[in-house]
Each structure stands twice: as C-alpha cells, then as structure tokens.
Amino acid sequence: MRKTLYLKFILAYFIFGVFSFIFVTIFVPSMTREHFTREKAEHLYMEANHISDTYAAGLYTRETDLETVKTQLDTLALYLDSTIRIVNPSGSVVLDTAAPINVEDVVMIENFDPTATSGSYYMINDFFGNFDSEMLSVFSPITSSYMVKGYVVIHCSMSEIQASCDSILSISYITLVILLLLSLIILIFFTEMVYIPLRKITYATEQYAAGNMRYEFQVESDDEIGYLAACLNYMASRIAGAEDDQKKFVANVSHDFRSPLTSIRGYLEAMIDGTIPQDMHDKYLNIVLNETERLTKLTNSLLALNNLNTKGMLLDRTDFDINDVIRSTAASFEGTCRQRNIMIELVLTGDDMLVNADMEKIQQVLYNLLDNAIKFSHSNSAIRVETSIKGNKLFVSVKDTGIGIPKEDLKLIWNRFYKSDLSRGRDKRGTGLGLSIVKEIINCHGEHINVISTEGVGSEFIFSLSQSEEDED
C-alpha cells in the first residue's frame, strides 16, 4: 500500500497525541507533586521557625508554661491542618497537638534522628514508624545559649497534598483533551487547504502522464499550491497546443508533399500509357520539373527552419553594407518584376550603411519579404524598400500595395504553413514557411519584426538591425 502524505500526517498527529498523553501522565504528576510538596514544606518550615523562636524557646527557658504553649499550638495546628510536635533530641515528645498533655506517660519516638533529612529541612516517610501513612515532616531546631534543646516538628499528611495534586492534574488532563480536540482544526485545515488540492494536482499529473492533456482542474487558492496548479494547467494547455500544432504541421507537410507528387505521378503515368501524346511530352516534363523544384524548395525550407530552431545556433556576424545587400536582392527579381510590370523603389539612407549581422541570413529575410510582396502585389504597381535610423538601430521597411492581410490573420502569419484565405488563390507554389523563417532569423539576431497591413490596401513589414560600431562613430 502506498503511503500517502495524508496518512503520514495522521500518523504524526497520532504520535503527537500519544507522546502528549505519556508526558502528562508520567512526568507532570511527579513534577506537580514535587512542586506542591516543596511549596508546602517551605510554608511549614517558616511556621516551624516562628514557633521555635517564640513559643518553644519560651518553654525551654521557663518563660511560659506547657499549657499556654499547648493552647497556642493547637490553634496554629488547626489553622495549618497539621500536627505540631516539640521533641527532645532523645526522641521524647514534649508536646503533641494531636494528644492531651500527659507528663507522667512520656511518648518516645524510637530511633529518632534529626539528621535523617540528609541536609534538608523536611522528610517524607512514616516518621520513624510513628505514623501508618506517609507524612511530610518539617524540622526546626530550638536553640538556647547556642545549644539545640529540642525540635519543632510539623507533620502534614501527604494524602492532602496528593489531593491538591489530583485536582490540578484533572485540570491538566482536561486541558490536554481540549488541546488535542482543538488541534483537529489543524488537521481539517491541512485536509482542505493542502491535501485535497494536492490530490487534484496528483490526479491531474496522472492524466497528463497518460496523455490526456485536455484534462482541466481548478484549485481555489492564492498560495504556492494554487500557483503550482495554475502552472500545471498552463503547461498542459501549452503541450496540448503543441500537439495540435504538430498534427497540423504533419497534415500540412503531407498535403504540400502529396500535391506535387500526385501531379508528377499523374503526368508520368499519362505519358507512359499514351494518354499524353509524344509531341506534348516536353510540355508536361517541364511541369514535372517545376513540381520537383517545388518539392526541393519545400524540403530546403523545412531544413532551414529546423536549423534556425536548433538551440545554440551560431550566427556568422560581420559588418556589411545593408544597402548593397538590398540592391543585389532587389536586382534578383528583375525578370519577375518586368513580366508583371512591377517596380521596386529603393529609398536608402546614405550610400553605405554598415550593420552587424549574418549577411546570408539577412539576405534570405529580404528575399522572402520581397518574394511575398511581388507575389501579392497587383500588376502595374510599386514596392517600396526603405531604410531609416533611430538611435543605434537601422530599420528596414518592405511595403507593397497588394491585397493586404485580414486583421484576424495578422497574428497567425508567422505560423508554419499558414496561408490566409486571400493568399490561397494566388500562392499556388508557396510553402507557407517563408514568414516563419523570417521570424526565426530576426529572433536569432535578438531583433524585432512587425507588420502593418490593411486588407485591400497593402502590407508593410519592418524589421530592425544593429548598426556596426564603425557607423555609430
């Protein structure tokens, strides 16, 4: 059986209760009895000293008679609820408040030894066999002319002290029971605030481990446990989202690979079985070649995106002229622009503008942005590439006057394989990876890229680069 945290807490609570009971029943009674005994002994000892200095001393110096002393001590004994004796060093009882005065029949205490207290001023026993029960006996010497004439001994029954102890112990036991019952509040608090939320979290982790990333749970708490539950929920939702993205990714890749492969297979089968005549083979072989180029482009894009996402990717940063890279990239689209009568306007800051970045990857960013701009621009239109400086940053803008991007698609265009509904009709040969690659490259440089677009008006992509230290100077 698995030991749960709750079971451990219950066991700890039980052990606490047992040890508390043992302590109260074993140590507290002896400590209480000792405290009451010492307190009673101190009180009686003070009274014994007072008697030995007054009444008893006068008796031995014959300043007062025995009857007078007996009367005084009887009253005091009644007040103290004790027995008071005056005993000679030989053990003969001179006066006993528990018995009448009898001079002829002297009571002797056998084996009387005042030193039996072992340096203390009281003893607890039957007082040399003189009592049937345990008594607290306090000694105080009666001195005259620097000599011990006798002893004042006050006896108090230990049963009375024990009764006082029992009354206090009863209160202690009741207090212990009340404390143990009140401590159940801690158990209830632990159950409601800790154990039940932890059980929810544990069950949720079991669901996630089993692959059920859609499982949701709620922990109403503002402490660390509530924060842990919220983080776990968020983690599960992110993983579930990643799974959905993965499924979409696989579906999109499969679709984009299947379409050209289906075309290639269809055309080749048609040429083999004679459906396509011999004189048309060149035309359809060119179509097949274009489809293979499309597959090659898709494969290269996937590899590029995977490399860009690799943790710890190193950039080949150098200082280069961004204006020259913009001019050469724009020149590579000369043929396409001439066919559609599209003009690329370059508005560049300065003749030379040095930036610090990976030149090949920034060239790829410019190529993808210009390719998209041309693809979605109308014929007889213009594309504007502009650079500007703000602080130590250079901003590059690629702006077209094409079909634009719907507002609801602006946050999705950076996703892999994403194509908006407006672009699907025009982007027959696109892979949907161009902007994902652009985003990854700019992020790897620690820079930012933004888009401003209005449907039916056009789009503008703006990204930043760090100027080289030479240009800053």
Side-chain angles (χ1 to χ4, degrees):
M1 180 180 177
R2 184 177 62 177
K3 292 184 179 179
T4 64
L5 181 64
Y6 192 68
L7 181 61
K8 292 178 181 178
F9 192 82
I10 292 292
L11 182 61
Y13 178 79
F14 177 75
I15 293 173
F16 168 75
V18 170
F19 275 96
S20 298
F21 180 77
I22 291 174
F23 178 80
V24 171
T25 55
I26 294 179
F27 297 102
V28 173
S30 60
M31 294 167 60
T32 305
R33 187 172 186 270
E34 183 180 353
H35 171 74
F36 273 93
T37 300
R38 187 181 297 110
E39 190 178 61
K40 186 68 173 179
E42 289 177 355
H43 177 62
L44 295 179
Y45 183 67
M46 290 174 60
E47 295 295 338
N49 281 336
H50 177 68
I51 294 170
S52 63
D53 291 339
T54 55
Y55 308 118
L59 184 63
Y60 280 93
T61 57
R62 302 184 184 279
E63 295 178 2
T64 183
D65 54 43
L66 190 60
E67 288 78 4
T68 303
V69 174
K70 177 73 165 61
T71 303
Q72 296 291 337
L73 294 186
D74 284 346
T75 305
L76 187 58
L78 183 63
Y79 170 74
L80 296 176
D81 195 18
S82 304
T83 299
I84 302 174
R85 287 177 174 177
I86 296 177
V87 184
N88 286 330
S90 62
S92 61
V93 179
V94 178
L95 186 148
D96 187 349
T97 58
I101 298 174
N102 189 350
V103 180
E104 295 180 358
D105 188 11
V106 179
V107 177
M108 291 294 297
I109 299 175
E110 299 294 336
N111 302 318
F112 177 72
D113 183 9
T115 63
T117 57
S118 302
S120 180
Y121 54 85
Y122 68 93
M123 61 170 48
I124 302 173
N125 50 29
D126 59 359
F127 198 68
F128 308 104
N130 207 238
F131 292 96
D132 296 332
S133 61
E134 198 173 48
M135 303 291 288
L136 170 64
S137 303
V138 179
F139 291 80
S140 179
I142 304 170
T143 58
S144 178
S145 301
Y146 303 103
M147 293 181 64
V148 177
K149 302 294 184 178
Y151 296 91
V152 175
V153 183
I154 302 179
H155 303 286
C156 179
S157 176
M158 286 300 297
S159 61
E160 297 178 4
I161 296 176
Q162 188 62 46
S164 300
C165 291
D166 291 341
S167 64
I168 295 298
L169 288 175
S170 298
I171 297 174
S172 299
Y173 295 144
I174 293 173
T175 303
L176 174 63
V177 172
I178 293 174
L179 287 176
L180 289 176
L181 292 175
L182 288 176
S183 63
L184 287 174
I185 297 175
I186 299 176
L187 183 62
I188 296 171
F189 179 82
F190 174 81
T191 302
E192 293 294 329
M193 303 301 294
V194 178
Y195 178 69
I196 292 178
L198 281 180
R199 281 298 303 157
K200 290 182 179 180
I201 293 173
T202 302
Y203 183 76
T205 56
E206 291 172 353
Q207 291 294 314
Y208 299 150
N212 183 17
M213 293 298 171
R214 300 294 178 184
Y215 178 77
E216 294 183 0
F217 67 102
Q218 197 73 23
V219 174
E220 299 294 338
S221 179
D222 295 330
D223 54 14
E224 289 82 356
I225 292 180
Y227 181 72
L228 173 63
C231 290
L232 198 61
N233 260 326
Y234 178 74
M235 179 197 72
S237 65
R238 294 287 291 177
I239 294 175
E243 287 182 350
D244 290 342
D245 291 342
Q246 185 179 15
K247 291 177 182 178
K248 291 178 182 178
F249 178 82
V250 173
N252 287 329
V253 170
S254 300
H255 177 270
D256 282 348
F257 269 94
R258 185 171 59 247
S259 295
L261 286 173
T262 301
S263 297
I264 292 171
R265 180 176 179 176
Y267 289 133
L268 290 178
E269 287 178 347
M271 284 188 286
I272 291 173
D273 62 19
T275 304
I276 297 176
Q278 185 73 31
D279 58 344
M280 298 289 290
H281 280 192
D282 289 343
K283 173 185 176 182
Y284 287 99
L285 284 174
N286 285 327
I287 295 175
V288 169
L289 181 62
N290 288 334
E291 292 297 321
T292 59
E293 289 177 355
R294 180 181 173 188
L295 287 174
T296 301
K297 182 178 180 182
L298 177 60
T299 303
N300 291 336
S301 296
L302 286 171
L303 291 173
L305 194 57
N306 182 67
N307 290 333
L308 289 172
N309 286 332
T310 301
K311 188 177 181 180
M313 181 193 67
L314 297 177
L315 296 174
D316 184 18
R317 283 181 174 271
T318 57
D319 291 341
F320 63 91
D321 182 11
I322 187 65
N323 290 348
D324 186 51
V325 173
I326 292 173
R327 293 187 188 101
S328 63
T329 305
S332 65
F333 290 97
E334 183 178 349
T336 305
C337 290
R338 186 180 295 112
Q339 291 176 2
R340 297 183 54 193
N341 197 23
I342 294 175
M343 181 175 63
I344 299 178
E345 299 177 359
L346 303 182
V347 183
L348 307 179
T349 303
D351 294 331
D352 298 323
M353 181 57 61
L354 297 180
V355 295
N356 183 264
D358 188 316
M359 186 176 71
E360 290 185 2
K361 290 183 173 57
I362 297 303
Q363 191 170 23
Q364 187 176 5
V365 168
L366 288 167
Y367 184 91
N368 287 351
L369 292 179
L370 281 171
D371 184 47
N372 274 354
I374 294 170
K375 191 182 301 178
F376 299 115
S377 289
H378 304 291
S379 298
N380 303 312
S381 62
I383 297 171
R384 182 184 181 94
V385 181
E386 184 177 357
T387 61
S388 59
I389 298 175
K390 292 181 181 179
N392 64 339
K393 296 288 185 180
L394 174 78
F395 291 87
V396 180
S397 166
V398 179
K399 184 177 183 180
D400 64 65
T401 56
I403 62 175
I405 304 170
K407 185 177 181 180
E408 61 272 14
D409 293 338
L410 285 176
K411 293 183 179 180
L412 304 174
I413 60 174
W414 311 109
N415 295 344
R416 302 176 187 182
F417 293 102
Y418 183 79
K419 296 181 182 180
S420 68
D421 293 335
L422 291 177
S423 69
R424 291 187 185 274
R426 293 171 171 257
D427 192 12
K428 297 294 185 182
R429 300 173 56 83
T431 63
L433 294 174
L435 290 180
S436 297
I437 294 173
V438 167
K439 182 75 170 178
E440 292 293 339
I441 291 175
I442 296 301
N443 287 344
C444 287
H445 281 78
E447 302 295 339
H448 302 281
I449 182 168
N450 295 311
V451 58
I452 303 170
S453 183
T454 303
E455 188 176 346
V457 177
S459 303
E460 180 180 11
F461 289 84
I462 306 169
F463 65 91
S464 62
L465 291 174
S466 296
Q467 286 186 267
S468 67
E469 294 182 359
E470 293 181 13
D471 249 22
E472 290 179 17
D473 295 339

